[in-house]
């Protein structure tokens, strides 16, 4: 009955795609975070700190009910200073104090307010490209999920209510450091038990960084079925602009659930992707009557209207399952000003390579360098060669920039000239505004390259099904226990974790530098299913310094590559592409206690086990009594739900409930 309902709902879903804006938002009244004064009262100081609207487009989007205000009422004596002629300034205070693009945001941030949101997780048929995918999973009845917005320094509370039929869930706030709030990172089996169907969990954390990112389920392959949405933390920028466009989410898409494809994915080559979506909209152009999945209709492409001479901030986010994209706008160059949550020195380019999980802030000046005869220009998301697996090449013309608001014609513009090979943006271009000097490593194992990405055969428990090849980067392919997350298992029996939990224990002072060398062979022999030209590696809990990113094999020791290690203000981010046949050297300070996941963001590989945990200074973790009790309650609820066979999708067959790593 539920499946039939899903199919019947596909037409409704398609009509929603056609009629609705890219994002929805269900705001909850917000309350003041702090009331104490930060400076002494004086007669000439304002009674309250500044309240202002952050940069938005002035006309067509976002809708008025989506706009928020940055509220720094608690900061008496301060004023806002962010405008189109000085985007680097955020707040100015007494005695020459300020919060700006030059502020050390890892140690200092303004005092904002508390913002509350609710995310309802549910099943819903989706037809974002006109073809029904009956097994969609969504936030608040929309795909992508609601646009979560906050201002630098705000506290954020997000209550997640799980209404799924057969799945638990947890939600990860991608790239947010969760400094001293590891229990809010949202990784089942690592920082919490899954939220059981019919239950809820409230995530509480502070926006210490600013920029753009996304939130997504970290439960198995759920995000590939629709559980993803954008986050914006408003703050300063390293270059000036006039207007800001809502986040632009680019993703690959299939007309099957990722859970259906998983059985194929870990026994053969990766499943072929079908289409590309931009902000939840796409077009499927296969009209062959022999094919069973014809489009219900053709949704309108994502489009924006530019006014000549204005400068627009675009927030690019890759939320794919399997694909690195090259983003471009025909006839336009872009200025890149941010990589992940790190502001950088601006640089110009005709295209931007965006790996899975990566984000870029770019500025587009509405003065084309190559004019189109009709005033319309394609936005393109081109799958990178070697980092994508499509059957039939999809249409990469996924969006439209218009200079004539009334125009409905497709553009006739030509693409810019740029490479499309799988890689990151040029290493030398990514220069952080905030300077770091990286010290020598304190972890002895740093030099030996002990984190090697490869495939291995698995046999016996806990892996299911047995006798399959799985990805690993450390001891064994990762396989988490939903009921015993690492955060509640800090002292394992005998003092040693099982090898399939892949726990790297680090105990160092908070100013110590941890180095990790991660390597990748050029290929895997027959039967291994090796495909990608690189792996997007994501570290939770930290921005890392990228000391080296090389396409040559790792020689075996840091001493041999010491001349290649950049320790003075190297690129910094939270997702990096590990090159095929090469290696990366990343570094971070041991200043955020708790268990943190490091994993490949190709969803097939994460499910296969390409991940390990970094247990950082466990004795310094400080979880409040309230959060500890909620964590314990969530685990009790999960164990009760999963222990009842009637809750499983097939309660008559002899099956294993967990058939992937858990992430």
């Amino acid at each position: 009955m539920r499946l039939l309902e899903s199919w019947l709902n596909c037409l409704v879903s398609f009509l929603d795609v056609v009629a609705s804006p890219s994002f929805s938002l269900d705001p909850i009244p917000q309350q003041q975070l702090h009331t104490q004064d930060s400076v002494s009262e004086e007669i000439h100081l304002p009674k309250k700190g500044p309240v202002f609207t952050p940069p938005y487009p002035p006309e067509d989007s976002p809708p008025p009910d989506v706009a928020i205000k940055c509220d720094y009422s608690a900061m008496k004596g301060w004023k806002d200073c962010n405008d189109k002629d000085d985007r680097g300034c955020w707040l100015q205070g007494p005695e020459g104090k300020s919060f700006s693009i030059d502020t050390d945001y890892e140690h200092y941030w303004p005092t904002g307010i508390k913002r509350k949101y609710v995310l309802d997780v549910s099943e819903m048929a989706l037809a974002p490209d006109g073809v029904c995918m009956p097994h969609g999973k969504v936030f608040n009845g929309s795909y992508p999920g609601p646009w979560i917005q906050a201002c630098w320094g705000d506290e954020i509370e997000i209550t997640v209510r799980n209404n799924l039929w057969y799945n638990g869930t947890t939600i990860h706030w991608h790239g947010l450091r969760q400094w001293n709030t590891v229990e809010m990172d949202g990784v089942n089996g690592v920082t919490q038990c899954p939220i059981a169907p019919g239950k809820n969990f409230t995530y509480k954390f502070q926006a210490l960084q600013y920029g753009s990112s996304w939130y997504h389920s970290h439960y198995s392959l759920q995000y590939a079925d629709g559980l993803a949405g954008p986050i914006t933390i408003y703050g300063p920028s390293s270059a000036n602009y006039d207007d800001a466009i809502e986040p632009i989410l680019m993703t690959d898409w299939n007309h099957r659930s990722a859970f259906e494809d998983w059985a194929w994915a870990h026994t053969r080559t990766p499943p072929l992707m079908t289409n590309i979506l931009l902000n939840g909209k796409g077009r499927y152009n296969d009209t062959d009557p022999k094919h069973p999945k014809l489009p219900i209709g053709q949704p309108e492409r994502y489009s924006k209207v530019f006014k000549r001479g204005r400068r627009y901030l675009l927030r690019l986010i890759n939320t794919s399952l399997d694909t690195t994209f090259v983003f471009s706008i025909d006839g336009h160059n872009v200025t890149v000003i941010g990589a992940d949550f790190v502001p950088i020195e601006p640089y110009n380019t005709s295209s931007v390579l965006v790996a899975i999980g990566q984000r870029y802030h770019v500025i587009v000046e509405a003065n084309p360098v190559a004019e189109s005869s009709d005033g319309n220009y394609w936005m393109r998301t081109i799958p990178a060669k070697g980092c994508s697996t499509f059957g039939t090449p999809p249409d990469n013309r996924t969006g439209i920039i218009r200079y004539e608001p009334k125009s409905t014609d497709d553009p006739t513009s030509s693409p810019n000239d740029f490479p499309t090979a799988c890689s990151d943006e040029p290493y030398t271009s990514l220069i952080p505004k905030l300077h770091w000097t990286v010290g020598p490593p304190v972890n002895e194992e740093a030099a030996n390259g002990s984190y090697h990405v490869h495939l291995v055969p698995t046999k016996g428990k806990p892996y299911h099904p047995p006798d399959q090849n799985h990805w690993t980067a450390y001891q064994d392919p990762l396989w988490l226990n939903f009921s015993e997350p690492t955060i509640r298992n800090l002292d394992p029996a005998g003092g040693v974790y099982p090898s399939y939990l892949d726990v790297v224990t680090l105990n160092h002072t908070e100013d110590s530098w941890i180095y990790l060398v991660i390597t990748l062979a050029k290929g895997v022999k027959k039967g291994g299913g090796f495909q990608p030209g690189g792996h997007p590696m994501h570290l939770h809990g930290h921005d890392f310094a990228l000391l080296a990113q090389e396409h040559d094999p790792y020689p075996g020791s840091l001493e041999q590559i010491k001349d290649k290690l950049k320790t003075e203000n190297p690129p910094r981010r939270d997702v990096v592409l590990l090159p095929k046949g090469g290696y990366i050297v990343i570094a971070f300070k041991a200043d955020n206690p708790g268990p943190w996941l490091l994993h490949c963001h190709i969803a097939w590989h994460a499910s296969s086990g390409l991940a390990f945990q970094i247990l950082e200074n466990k004795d310094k973790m400080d979880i409040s009594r309230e959060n500890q009790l909620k964590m314990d309650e969530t685990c009790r609820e999960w164990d009760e739900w999963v222990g009842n066979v009637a809750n499983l999708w097939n309660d008559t067959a002899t099956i294993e409930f967990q058939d992937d790593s858990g992430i």
Side-chain angles (χ1 to χ4, degrees):
M1 176 63 72
R2 283 172 169 170
L3 183 59
L4 177 60
E5 290 174 355
S6 291
W7 277 101
L8 292 175
N9 286 334
C10 270
L11 181 58
V12 175
S13 174
F14 168 71
L15 294 175
D16 284 344
V17 170
V18 173
S20 66
S22 299
F23 304 113
S24 64
L25 187 66
D26 184 15
I28 293 176
Q30 299 159 4
Q31 64 189 62
Q32 187 66 39
L33 177 58
H34 296 299
T35 58
Q36 69 268 24
D37 297 346
S38 57
V39 295
S40 60
E41 286 281 0
E42 294 184 33
I43 192 69
H44 63 277
L45 293 181
K47 290 183 179 180
K48 291 184 178 180
V51 179
F52 59 94
T53 301
Y56 282 116
E59 295 174 353
D60 62 330
S61 64
D65 61 340
V66 174
I68 69 166
K69 289 187 179 294
C70 293
D71 189 335
Y72 296 105
S73 299
M75 299 179 65
K76 296 180 180 179
W78 290 73
K79 62 181 181 180
D80 63 286
C81 56
N82 186 266
D83 60 38
K84 65 183 180 63
D85 297 318
D86 189 2
R87 293 297 186 194
C89 190
W90 191 244
L91 296 169
Q92 288 181 336
E95 300 175 358
K97 296 178 182 178
S98 68
F99 286 98
S100 73
I101 195 69
D102 298 316
T103 300
D104 181 357
Y105 53 83
E106 292 214 336
H107 297 94
Y108 306 99
W109 47 86
T111 301
I113 62 170
K114 183 176 290 184
R115 300 186 189 271
K116 294 183 178 181
Y117 296 96
V118 173
L119 293 175
D120 283 311
V121 178
S122 60
E123 319 266 351
M124 189 176 86
L126 294 172
D129 62 354
V131 177
C132 184
M133 201 282 273
H135 302 295
K137 300 167 183 66
V138 296
F139 293 110
N140 294 12
S142 67
Y143 176 72
W147 182 12
I148 291 177
Q149 302 171 80
C151 298
W152 186 18
D154 283 349
E155 288 193 2
I156 303 172
E157 289 190 9
I158 305 173
T159 297
V160 176
R161 302 190 293 217
N162 183 8
N163 302 305
L164 297 175
W165 301 332
Y166 305 118
N167 279 214
T169 197
T170 56
I171 308 305
H172 173 57
W173 320 97
H174 184 100
L176 290 164
R177 284 182 65 211
Q178 299 293 353
W179 186 64
N180 288 332
T181 53
V182 63
E183 69 273 23
M184 299 296 163
D185 197 41
V187 185
N188 38 236
V190 178
T191 64
Q192 67 175 105
C193 291
I195 306 166
K199 303 300 180 180
N200 65 77
F201 185 90
T202 299
Y203 295 91
K204 303 176 183 180
F205 51 89
Q206 192 168 10
L208 306 182
Q209 303 141 284
Y210 51 84
S212 295
S213 195
W214 57 307
Y215 59 95
H216 62 83
S217 169
H218 228 304
Y219 184 103
S220 189
L221 291 155
Q222 283 179 354
Y223 90 75
D225 283 357
L227 283 179
I231 301 175
T232 295
I233 310 296
Y234 295 103
S237 295
S238 63
N240 296 331
Y241 58 88
D242 297 295
D243 305 313
I245 304 300
E246 71 272 13
I248 298 175
L249 278 62
M250 58 192 82
T251 189
D252 47 22
W253 186 250
N254 262 349
H255 299 146
R256 307 169 302 275
S257 167
F259 288 84
E260 294 178 277
D261 282 341
W262 172 236
W264 177 280
H266 68 87
T267 58
R268 303 171 181 86
T269 57
L272 300 178
M273 304 306 293
T274 308
N275 210 351
I276 305 171
L277 307 180
L278 202 63
N279 274 359
K281 295 183 178 182
R283 285 196 174 185
Y284 185 61
N285 295 320
D286 187 348
T287 56
D288 187 340
K290 296 179 181 178
H291 293 179
K293 289 191 173 183
L294 295 178
I296 299 171
Q298 292 288 10
E300 291 296 319
R301 289 185 172 92
Y302 175 77
S303 65
K304 302 305 295 183
V305 176
F306 279 4
K307 283 188 174 182
R308 285 189 178 269
R310 297 190 72 80
R311 300 159 299 176
Y312 294 88
L313 174 69
L314 275 57
R315 307 170 175 108
L316 309 178
I317 307 171
N318 187 339
T319 64
S320 292
L321 183 159
D322 192 44
T323 306
T324 291
F325 285 111
V326 188
F327 175 88
S328 68
I329 302 174
D330 288 359
H332 294 72
N333 291 327
V334 301
T335 301
V336 184
I337 64 169
D340 297 349
F341 271 126
V342 179
I344 63 173
E345 297 288 351
Y347 70 92
N348 295 322
T349 182
S350 60
S351 64
V352 184
L353 283 141
V354 193
I356 304 171
Q358 290 183 341
R359 295 88 65 204
Y360 286 95
H361 276 196
V362 305
I363 296 171
V364 181
E365 187 169 348
N367 286 314
V369 296
E371 292 283 353
S372 170
S373 60
D374 55 13
N376 299 320
Y377 299 83
W378 288 115
M379 303 170 73
R380 299 179 189 265
T381 46
I382 300 175
K385 294 177 181 177
C387 283
S388 56
T389 53
F390 287 89
T392 301
D395 190 347
N396 60 52
R397 302 170 301 173
T398 49
I400 301 174
I401 297 296
R402 301 189 186 279
Y403 284 86
E404 293 295 333
K406 295 182 180 180
S407 174
T408 58
D409 295 335
D410 280 351
T412 58
S413 59
S414 299
N416 304 335
D417 184 19
F418 49 81
T420 58
C422 184
S423 70
D424 265 338
E425 279 294 282
Y427 183 91
T428 55
S429 296
L430 304 177
I431 304 172
K433 284 288 293 184
L434 183 65
H435 191 282
W436 274 13
T437 297
V438 179
V442 296
N443 51 326
E444 294 180 359
E445 76 280 8
N448 60 18
S450 48
Y451 308 102
H452 179 59
V453 173
H454 62 293
L455 279 162
V456 295
T458 58
K459 295 184 180 295
K461 298 284 186 180
Y463 304 104
H464 178 81
D467 303 319
Q468 304 292 340
N469 286 321
H470 282 255
W471 286 99
T472 183
Y474 187 43
Q475 294 173 314
D476 283 318
L478 181 75
W479 200 272
L480 295 168
N481 185 335
F482 288 157
S483 295
E484 295 183 10
T486 306
I487 200 169
R488 301 178 77 230
N489 185 26
L490 299 177
D491 297 299
V496 179
Y497 287 96
S499 59
Y500 55 80
L501 292 180
D502 288 290
V503 177
V504 180
T505 302
L506 299 172
N507 294 296
H508 301 285
T509 60
E510 64 180 19
D511 60 348
S512 300
W513 286 98
I514 307 300
Y515 283 25
L516 300 178
V517 180
I518 306 176
T519 63
L520 174 62
K522 279 196 175 291
V524 172
K525 296 199 174 186
K526 189 172 172 181
F530 184 88
Q531 291 293 328
H535 292 262
M537 306 301 291
H538 173 48
L539 174 62
H540 292 214
H542 294 273
D543 284 336
F544 54 76
L546 181 58
L547 306 186
Q549 183 181 33
E550 299 291 335
H551 289 79
D552 299 324
Y554 183 61
S557 73
L558 288 175
E559 179 64 25
Q560 291 174 277
I561 61 168
K562 63 181 181 181
D563 293 337
K564 294 184 176 181
L565 297 180
K566 181 176 174 56
T567 57
E568 284 298 327
N569 206 31
R572 199 162 69 241
R573 60 188 323 158
D574 57 68
V575 182
V576 62
L577 203 64
L578 172 61
K580 184 175 181 179
Y583 63 91
I584 55 174
V585 183
I586 65 174
F588 58 92
K589 281 189 175 181
D591 60 359
N592 200 6
W596 302 107
L597 192 66
L598 193 157
H599 65 99
C600 176
H601 227 299
I602 296 173
W604 307 128
H605 296 175
S607 281
S608 179
L610 185 40
F612 56 92
Q613 302 181 67
I614 297 171
L615 182 53
E616 181 179 334
N617 292 332
K618 64 178 183 178
D619 295 333
K620 297 180 181 179
M621 288 174 54
D622 185 16
I623 300 175
S624 71
R625 172 77 172 161
E626 177 188 1
N627 288 350
Q628 187 69 58
L629 289 173
K630 182 58 180 176
M631 184 191 307
D632 294 343
E633 178 186 11
T634 300
C635 287
R636 286 195 301 272
E637 292 170 344
W638 171 255
D639 287 342
E640 180 181 350
W641 181 85
V642 80
N644 183 352
V645 68
N647 290 326
L648 305 185
W649 70 272
N650 186 343
D651 60 4
T652 61
T654 302
I655 60 171
E656 292 285 340
F657 176 77
Q658 184 178 344
D659 65 353
D660 76 350
S661 69
I663 59 166

